[in-house]
Amino acid sequence: MIKLLKKLNPKKRQVLHTIFKIFLVLLGTFILAFGTGVFLVPFNIITGGVSGISILLGRLNILSVDIWSYIICWSLFIVGFFVLGLKFSLSTLISTIFYPIFLTILLRIGLGEACLSLLCPKNGIVYINGNLSVLPTTIQSLGTGNLLIISLFGGIFVGLGCGITFIGEGSTGGLDILCFIFKKFFNFSVSVTSFILDASVILIGIIVDIVNGGTSTTFMASLIGIIGAFSCAMAIQYIYNGLESSYVCDIITSKPDEVNDYVQKELERTTTYFKIVGGYSKEEKTMIRLVFSKREYTTIKDALSKIDPEAFITFTKAKLVTGEGFENNENSKDLAINSLIKKAKKKNEKV
């Protein structure tokens, strides 16, 4: 296996890398649909996004939730194509095609029902407008605690799916398209816009329940959707950005040699010296830059406070750090192939 991967020429590696990315996008899209179709839609839990809007529109009893998902996804895709261009639209194309399809499979075929039967009594599972759903009385009998857990895991699955899709260099489309449109024309932060849109969907769901005199069950499901939204955001953060992160520490100190000795002897890391001039005092000073992993944060912070309590220190979270003491810097095109080679080596070593 290892020899086969190493013999691949750059063009074949590129093809394999592309296939691997498409696989990740499809896998992420399916997990996203699974979290939505099994944990959120049947229980009417609104966590924002296309699923939240589809659930709200599904309550009109005009079209089912999955059909609304087709309409919303493709409408936003068309808008994104004309406003953001072909390149961006291609990154959302796979999810736009397959997310509604996967959702339909889960909501209309036995796969979703089999999974749902593990979460609640089977006699409480029904099909409304052709879509898998749970009776309000069954939801009420589950209690707030169980509903909270269902929402939590629904958000985790949705976030996991989104994160895997992002790793595959794809996009889940949907309301993300509106976020990038606001970014293009108004320079709004994508993350802030995404939060506002999701929060608005949840808030609308709560208002609709109040105005229409909804049951306490549907109202509670709307409130619990907030927890699902938070678990989704956390899952994306950990899957896409990684559990392990690094920090860059800039230290302006009168004791640079003591700090440097500590870093080299205790941490077995190195530093970089910068000669700087104070903007107010006009005095020449020394700044030390140190890069370290997240698990060393508290140790370094406490040590610096003992070495020089008067030091001016800033900690900055780094997106990626490569080089000696950290991950090797690999070309993105070869990353998937090299990852397979490493896994194959480990497997052979165990054997």
Side-chain angles (χ1 to χ4, degrees):
M1 178 66 177
I2 300 173
K3 292 180 179 179
L4 178 63
L5 290 171
K6 285 183 175 180
K7 287 180 180 179
L8 292 175
N9 60 45
K11 286 186 178 180
K12 289 184 178 179
R13 282 196 171 200
Q14 175 63 32
V15 171
L16 188 56
H17 177 63
T18 301
I19 293 172
F20 183 69
K21 287 195 298 183
I22 293 173
F23 168 76
L24 286 178
V25 173
L26 286 172
L27 176 63
T29 302
F30 177 77
I31 294 174
L32 169 62
F34 178 81
T36 303
V38 174
F39 290 88
L40 302 182
V41 173
F43 296 94
N44 277 306
I45 297 174
I46 299 173
T47 59
V50 171
S51 65
I53 297 174
S54 300
I55 291 171
L56 282 174
L57 293 173
R59 293 178 184 176
L60 299 175
N61 293 321
I62 299 174
L63 296 172
S64 59
V65 173
D66 60 332
I67 300 301
W68 280 118
S69 295
Y70 281 100
I71 294 171
I72 296 170
C73 285
W74 281 105
S75 297
L76 290 172
F77 177 83
I78 293 169
V79 171
F81 175 79
F82 286 105
V83 177
L84 300 174
L86 177 62
K87 186 177 180 180
F88 176 85
S89 299
L90 288 176
S91 69
T92 68
L93 181 60
I94 294 177
S95 288
T96 300
I97 293 172
F98 286 97
Y99 170 72
I101 293 174
F102 289 151
L103 191 60
T104 295
I105 292 172
L106 288 162
L107 290 177
R108 293 180 181 269
I109 299 177
L111 175 61
E113 185 177 348
C115 296
L116 193 58
S117 63
L118 300 175
L119 301 174
C120 64
K122 196 165 185 179
N123 57 7
I125 301 173
V126 295
Y127 284 87
I128 299 176
N129 292 329
N131 277 185
L132 192 63
S133 187
V134 177
L135 291 172
T137 52
T138 303
I139 296 176
Q140 194 169 9
S141 67
L142 290 173
T144 304
N146 287 330
L147 203 59
L148 186 62
I149 293 173
I150 290 169
S151 175
L152 184 67
F153 276 91
I156 290 173
F157 275 110
V158 170
L160 176 64
C162 290
I164 293 174
T165 301
F166 296 157
I167 292 173
E169 298 181 15
S171 170
T172 55
L175 295 187
D176 287 349
I177 294 172
L178 293 182
C179 295
F180 282 102
I181 290 175
F182 277 103
K183 173 69 176 177
K184 178 178 181 179
F185 290 102
F186 305 104
N187 200 30
F188 289 173
S189 168
V190 172
S191 58
V192 172
T193 306
S194 178
F195 172 77
I196 292 173
L197 289 174
D198 287 339
S200 298
V201 174
I202 296 171
L203 182 60
I204 291 170
I206 294 173
I207 293 173
V208 168
D209 279 330
I210 294 173
V211 172
N212 292 338
T215 64
S216 60
T217 303
T218 56
F219 180 70
M220 187 59 67
S222 297
L223 290 177
I224 287 176
I226 298 172
I227 304 299
F230 273 112
S231 65
C232 173
M234 292 300 294
I236 293 173
Q237 171 70 20
Y238 283 117
I239 296 300
Y240 183 55
N241 293 330
L243 291 169
E244 184 65 38
S245 58
S246 301
Y247 285 86
V248 177
C249 178
D250 289 330
I251 311 159
I252 301 175
T253 175
S254 58
K255 301 177 180 179
D257 293 333
E258 288 89 333
V259 172
N260 187 58
D261 288 342
Y262 166 76
V263 171
Q264 291 190 5
K265 294 177 181 179
E266 300 297 328
L267 301 179
E268 296 183 349
R269 294 194 180 278
T270 187
T271 61
T272 303
Y273 277 59
F274 295 91
K275 292 298 181 182
I276 61 172
V277 178
Y280 177 76
S281 65
K282 307 301 180 184
E283 295 179 3
E284 187 174 281
K285 300 182 179 180
T286 300
M287 185 178 79
I288 299 178
R289 174 164 292 175
L290 165 65
V291 182
F292 57 92
S293 63
K294 185 169 81 171
R295 62 179 177 273
E296 298 170 307
Y297 173 80
T298 304
T299 303
I300 291 173
K301 182 176 177 294
D302 292 344
L304 292 175
S305 67
K306 292 178 181 178
I307 296 172
D308 185 4
E310 303 298 323
F312 184 83
I313 307 170
T314 57
F315 292 93
T316 307
K317 194 171 183 180
K319 172 71 175 177
L320 175 66
V321 178
T322 63
E324 188 175 352
F326 297 91
E327 291 284 336
N328 292 330
N329 189 13
E330 298 182 80
N331 189 296
S332 297
K333 294 180 180 179
D334 296 331
L335 192 58
I337 307 300
N338 292 335
S339 176
L340 291 174
I341 292 173
K342 288 178 182 177
K343 288 179 180 178
K345 282 183 177 178
K346 289 181 179 179
K347 189 175 181 181
N348 289 341
E349 287 172 1
K350 289 181 180 179
V351 174

